[in-house]
Amino acid sequence: MDKNKLKEFLIGDYKCSSVKVNGHKKIKLDASPGLIPVVLFAAAIIKFLTSEDD
């Protein structure tokens, strides 16, 4: 696995392109989150759901 593919797997990747829709220019963003952000987000949700309020 090369370094670029490893970075995409761990951190994520995004592609931004300009598309024309009905004569208007729009920005199209394709984002794919990587493993590390997904794990951190899941851990934050689990911590929030399992925290006890005193």
Side-chain angles (χ1 to χ4, degrees):
M1 186 180 282
D2 64 353
K3 286 184 179 182
N4 198 26
K5 290 288 183 187
L6 182 62
K7 181 185 86 63
E8 287 179 16
F9 176 70
L10 293 177
I11 299 172
D13 190 29
Y14 69 93
K15 293 174 186 146
C16 190
S17 58
S18 176
V19 291
K20 225 173 196 185
V21 179
N22 297 333
H24 299 291
K25 244 184 176 178
K26 294 191 176 187
I27 301 294
K28 180 180 167 190
L29 179 67
D30 295 324
S32 60
L35 183 65
I36 293 172
V38 170
V39 168
L40 291 175
F41 185 68
I45 290 177
I46 291 170
K47 186 173 182 179
F48 174 74
L49 291 176
T50 58
S51 66
E52 294 181 13
D53 295 331
D54 290 336

